[in-house]
Amino acid sequence: MPLTLTLSEGVIPAGMEKEAVKQITASLLETHGLTGNTVMTPNITANVHIVPKGASFSGGEEFAGAWAEWKVPSFALTDKAVIKKHFEQVTEIIHQLSGGKQPKDNIYVNVLHAVDGGWNLDGTAMSNEELGEAISKG
């Protein structure tokens, strides 16, 4: 389940990206009841992109933003209570790591869902049922 974390330069101090990914990953696992799951934990991956100052925009105007985007199987992040809790946690993580300087209304979280069967684990395409079986072993 890859996370793409995109940050305007300076939103959080340089070098804190690893901590952001660590905390956001822990939140996803916790909100799904999968903390410590040996199958899911190593399959949550992340890429961090730092956008240079002057290259982030809102309404056509320069601004500083943070974006966390998940790509997940179609059964993950579907429960509204889980989504709400996780998105609130991600927003708070970025806000706290910014030293309280990044406005929460400039922190964006979203999720993209893959179609059933459009996901692989350990190099093998799996249906939602197969993924569920693999995850349950962890």
Side-chain angles (χ1 to χ4, degrees):
M1 294 187 188
L3 164 69
T4 302
L5 180 61
T6 305
L7 304 163
S8 297
E9 183 179 12
V11 166
I12 63 175
M16 294 301 294
E17 300 87 1
K18 183 177 179 179
E19 183 62 25
V21 168
K22 182 178 179 179
Q23 289 184 35
I24 293 169
T25 297
S27 170
L28 184 74
L29 289 166
E30 182 268 322
T31 55
H32 282 83
L34 294 170
T35 300
N37 185 285
T38 60
V39 174
M40 277 310 306
T41 300
N43 283 292
I44 297 177
T45 61
N47 289 289
V48 177
H49 303 271
I50 305 299
V51 179
K53 286 186 180 185
S56 298
F57 303 90
S58 174
E61 301 296 324
E62 183 180 326
F63 90 130
W67 300 264
E69 180 173 89
W70 286 105
K71 294 178 185 80
V72 299
S74 58
F75 59 82
L77 284 169
T78 56
D79 180 283
K80 290 184 193 250
V82 169
I83 293 168
K84 184 176 175 93
K85 182 177 181 184
H86 177 63
F87 284 23
E88 286 174 353
Q89 288 177 353
V90 171
T91 300
E92 190 61 30
I93 289 165
I94 299 299
H95 181 70
Q96 290 298 315
L97 290 175
S98 79
K101 295 177 183 175
Q102 179 65 19
K104 290 182 179 182
D105 60 347
N106 289 346
I107 301 170
Y108 308 92
V109 188
N110 71 297
V111 62
L112 302 173
H113 288 104
V115 297
D116 188 6
W119 202 264
N120 81 325
L121 196 64
D122 299 327
T124 303
M126 295 185 177
S127 67
N128 285 345
E129 182 178 336
E130 291 167 323
L131 280 170
E133 289 172 10
I135 293 166
S136 72
K137 294 176 184 174

